[in-house]
C-alpha cells in the first residue's frame, strides 16, 4: 500500500479523533496533528488534553458553532496564505453533526484543498454493532428539538425503509424514545448504543416500547446513538400471506421451538408486528 506521509501547504485536514478510547487515534492522525501549522478545535480544552496525551505541542484556535463565521474566514485567510490546518472536533469525525461542514464548504468555495483523515465516528460504530440491516441506512443526526418541525420529521422518518441513525443527548433521550414509539410503533426494533468504545459501553438490541419502559425507570447516562429498523414497505407487506406466516410458525414449532418463540421469530422474519402474528396464530387454532 502506498502511503502519503507529508502535509501540504494551504490544505485543511479533517482529523478524526477518538470517541472514548484514546487507542483509536490513528498513526496518520497523529502525524498530521504533529506536522500542520495550527489546529482548529471545537473545544480547545478537550483537544489540549488529547495533544498532551500524544505529546504534541501546537497552536490551537477555537472553531465552534457560535464563532464559525468569523473564525472560518480567519482560518481560510491563513490557508490561502500558505499555512496548513487540522480541524478536530471534541470526539469523532469532523463535519458529522458539528460546524466542520461549514468550514469544508467555505474551503471548497475558495478552491482550498481538503483532506479527510478517516477514523472513529459514533454513527458508523453503532451501525456496525446494531445487528440491523447495514446495506442501506440514513443518518439524521439530532432530531429538531420541538414543534411542527420535530413532528413532521418524525412522521416522515416513520415511513423510511432504510435503517435510521440518530444522535441524542442523555437528558432528551426519554422524550425522543417516547416520540419514536408514538410515531414508529412500539414493536419497531431499535439498537441503543451507549458510551461506545468506553469502559461502560453497552449495546441494547430490543424494541422501542421496551427501551421507553427501561429509561422511564432508570435515568439515561452517557452518550447515545439510536439505530432504528426501517419501516416494512407496503410492497413487502402485501407479498407476505397469512398462510406463509402460519406455515413458518408450524415449522418452527415442529423443530422444537415454543409457540411464543415461533411467533417472535416469524414476526422478525416477515417484518410483521408480533401482535398481528400472534392474533393470526391464535385464530388458526380456534
Ligand atoms: N462528530 C462526532 C462523530 O463523528 O460521531 C459526533 C458529534 S455529535 C456533536 C455528538 C453526538 O455523537 C453525541 O450526542 C452522541 O449522540 C454521539 N456520540 C459521540 N460519542 C459517542 C460515544 N462514545 N458513544 C455513543 N454516542 C456517541
Amino acid at each position: 500500500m502506498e502511503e502519503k506521509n507529508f502535509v501540504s501547504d494551504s490544505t485543511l485536514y479533517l482529523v478524526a479523533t477518538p470517541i472514548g478510547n484514546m487507542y483509536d487515534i490513528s498513526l496518520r492522525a497523529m502525524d498530521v496533528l504533529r506536522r500542520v501549522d495550527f489546529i482548529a478545535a471545537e473545544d480547545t480544552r478537550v483537544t489540549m488534553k488529547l495533544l498532551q496525551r500524544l505529546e504534541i505541542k501546537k497552536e490551537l484556535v477555537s472553531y465552534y458553532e457560535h464563532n464559525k463565521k468569523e473564525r472560518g474566514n480567519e482560518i481560510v485567510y491563513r490557508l490561502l496564505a500558505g499555512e496548513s490546518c487540522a480541524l478536530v472536533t471534541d470526539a469523532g469525525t469532523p463535519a458529522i453533526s458539528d460546524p466542520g461542514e461549514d468550514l469544508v464548504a467555505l474551503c471548497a468555495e475558495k478552491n482550498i484543498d481538503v483532506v479527510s483523515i478517516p477514523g472513529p465516528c459514533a454513527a458508523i460504530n453503532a451501525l456496525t454493532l446494531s445487528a440491523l440491516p447495514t446495506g442501506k441506512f440514513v443518518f439524521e443526526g439530532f432530531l429538531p428539538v420541538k414543534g411542527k418541525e420535530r413532528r413532521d420529521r418524525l412522521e416522515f422518518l416513520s415511513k423510511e425503509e432504510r435503517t435510521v441513525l440518530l444522535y441524542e443527548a442523555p437528558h432528551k433521550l426519554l422524550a425522543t424514545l417516547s416520540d419514536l414509539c408514538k410515531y414508529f410503533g412500539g414493536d419497531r426494533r431499535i439498537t441503543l448504543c451507549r458510551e461506545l468504545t468506553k469502559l461502560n459501553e453497552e449495546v441494547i438490541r430490543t424494541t422501542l416500547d421496551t427501551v421507553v419502559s427501561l429509561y422511564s425507570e432508570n435515568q439515561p447516562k452517557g452518550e447515545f446513538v439510536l439505530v432504528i429498523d426501517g419501516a416494512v414497505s407496503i410492497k413487502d407487506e402485501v407479498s407476505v400471506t397469512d398462510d406463509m406466516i402460519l406455515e413458518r410458525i408450524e415449522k418452527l414449532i415442529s423443530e422444537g421451538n415454543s409457540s411464543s418463540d415461533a411467533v417472535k421469530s416469524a414476526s422478525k422474519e416477515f417484518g410483521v408486528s408480533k401482535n398481528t402474528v400472534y392474533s393470526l396464530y391464535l385464530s388458526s387454532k380456534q
Side-chain angles (χ1 to χ4, degrees):
M1 206 191 322
E2 209 179 311
E3 289 169 8
K4 197 175 158 197
N5 277 334
F6 58 86
V7 158
S8 304
D9 295 342
S10 296
T11 301
L12 176 72
Y13 289 86
L14 308 175
V15 179
T17 54
I19 56 169
N21 188 323
M22 284 296 163
Y23 283 84
D24 290 334
I25 188 89
S26 75
L27 291 174
R28 190 169 172 218
M30 288 194 286
D31 192 54
V32 168
L33 291 173
R34 250 182 218 116
R35 289 174 195 251
V36 285
D37 294 306
F38 67 103
I39 298 172
E42 197 179 2
D43 183 334
T44 51
R45 289 161 305 180
V46 172
T47 302
M48 182 58 85
K49 278 189 201 146
L50 174 74
L51 295 182
Q52 275 167 354
R53 184 88 188 260
L54 301 175
E55 296 181 0
I56 295 173
K57 282 201 178 111
K58 190 67 62 180
E59 179 196 350
L60 269 178
V61 301
S62 74
Y63 174 81
Y64 62 98
E65 192 55 40
H66 300 291
N67 75 356
K68 67 182 181 188
K69 213 158 174 230
E70 151 206 356
R71 189 51 54 81
N73 285 328
E74 286 167 23
I75 294 170
V76 161
Y77 181 81
R78 291 180 67 171
L79 288 164
L80 288 172
E83 289 187 85
S84 55
C85 171
L87 176 70
V88 297
T89 162
D90 286 353
T93 300
I96 300 298
S97 282
D98 68 45
E101 80 173 271
D102 296 82
L103 189 56
V104 175
L106 198 58
C107 287
E109 203 184 295
K110 306 279 181 198
N111 282 324
I112 294 168
D113 286 338
V114 181
V115 174
S116 183
I117 311 298
C121 174
I124 297 300
N125 198 318
L127 178 68
T128 58
L129 289 167
S130 68
L132 292 172
T134 59
K136 291 183 184 146
F137 63 89
V138 33
F139 173 66
E140 281 282 321
F142 295 93
L143 280 175
V145 182
K146 54 185 177 192
K148 183 170 168 2
E149 213 191 329
R150 180 171 172 100
R151 291 194 298 277
D152 287 352
R153 203 67 209 146
L154 283 159
E155 180 64 41
F156 178 83
L157 287 175
S158 67
K159 298 182 193 81
E160 173 59 62
E161 291 172 16
R162 294 166 291 180
T163 301
V164 178
L165 294 164
L166 292 174
Y167 283 161
E168 194 48 285
H171 63 284
K172 296 192 195 133
L173 184 75
L174 183 58
T176 292
L177 291 174
S178 304
D179 281 349
L180 287 169
C181 205
K182 186 164 134 202
Y183 283 82
F184 289 41
D187 56 6
R188 186 77 75 89
R189 289 193 293 164
I190 179 169
T191 299
L192 209 56
C193 298
R194 190 175 80 83
E195 295 287 83
L196 290 167
T197 77
K198 301 182 190 173
L199 211 59
N200 296 322
E201 170 166 324
E202 190 180 16
V203 178
I204 305 174
R205 301 184 183 96
T206 181
T207 53
L208 281 169
D209 49 10
T210 312
V211 276
V212 169
S213 325
L214 176 71
Y215 286 112
S216 302
E217 284 155 26
N218 308 283
Q219 197 172 339
K221 285 196 193 116
E223 299 198 272
F224 291 86
V225 182
L226 286 57
V227 190
I228 307 143
D229 201 6
V232 177
S233 77
I234 294 165
K235 202 169 102 243
D236 289 348
E237 240 171 5
V238 292
S239 62
V240 176
T241 63
D242 292 356
D243 284 347
M244 284 161 71
I245 297 173
L246 288 171
E247 247 174 60
R248 182 68 187 136
I249 293 176
E250 292 308 338
K251 179 140 197 312
L252 287 163
I253 292 173
S254 72
E255 287 168 359
N257 293 285
S258 68
S259 52
S260 95
D261 283 348
V263 165
K264 253 190 238 160
S265 304
S267 143
K268 256 190 202 163
E269 284 173 29
F270 290 107
V272 176
S273 83
K274 227 183 327 175
N275 289 345
T276 309
V277 175
Y278 188 61
S279 321
L280 183 67
Y281 175 66
L282 281 187
S283 52
S284 78
K285 292 281 141 208
Q286 282 161 6

